Amino acid sequence: MAPAELRFIEAFELLRSAGKIGVREFCREVGEHPGTFGTWKSGKSNRRASVEWFTALCGHGVSADWLLTGNGPMMRS
């Protein structure tokens, strides 16, 4: 997985564990099947994260700069 995808998973899991987003809710938001998303997230798929996934995560307060580059804080203030 690319570094940005690993940061995506880190941020997603932080939001999920805080109860701010669920897998099904997120998948519904981005038009993805939860099973497909879960397979990707576990590293068992050659698929890449889509721009829509990154955009949706940013809509939940994650910094686009951090997601793409690793610079700055994970969450926008």
Side-chain angles (χ1 to χ4, degrees):
M1 262 190 218
E5 291 176 313
L6 295 173
R7 284 188 293 274
F8 175 95
I9 291 170
E10 181 181 350
F12 181 87
E13 288 302 321
L14 177 75
L15 291 171
R16 190 187 62 73
S17 67
K20 296 185 179 197
I21 192 168
V23 171
R24 289 182 183 182
E25 171 193 359
F26 182 78
C27 288
R28 204 173 13 248
E29 186 177 331
V30 297
E32 189 60 69
H33 187 274
T36 302
F37 181 72
T39 301
W40 171 82
K41 205 164 64 89
S42 70
K44 296 177 183 173
S45 170
N46 291 329
R47 183 179 180 165
R48 307 304 293 211
S50 73
V51 171
E52 291 80 15
W53 294 6
F54 281 93
T55 303
L57 207 58
C58 291
H60 290 276
V62 176
S63 164
D65 187 38
W66 180 83
L67 268 176
L68 298 175
T69 69
N71 294 325
M74 178 191 294
M75 302 303 289
R76 293 189 317 263
S77 21

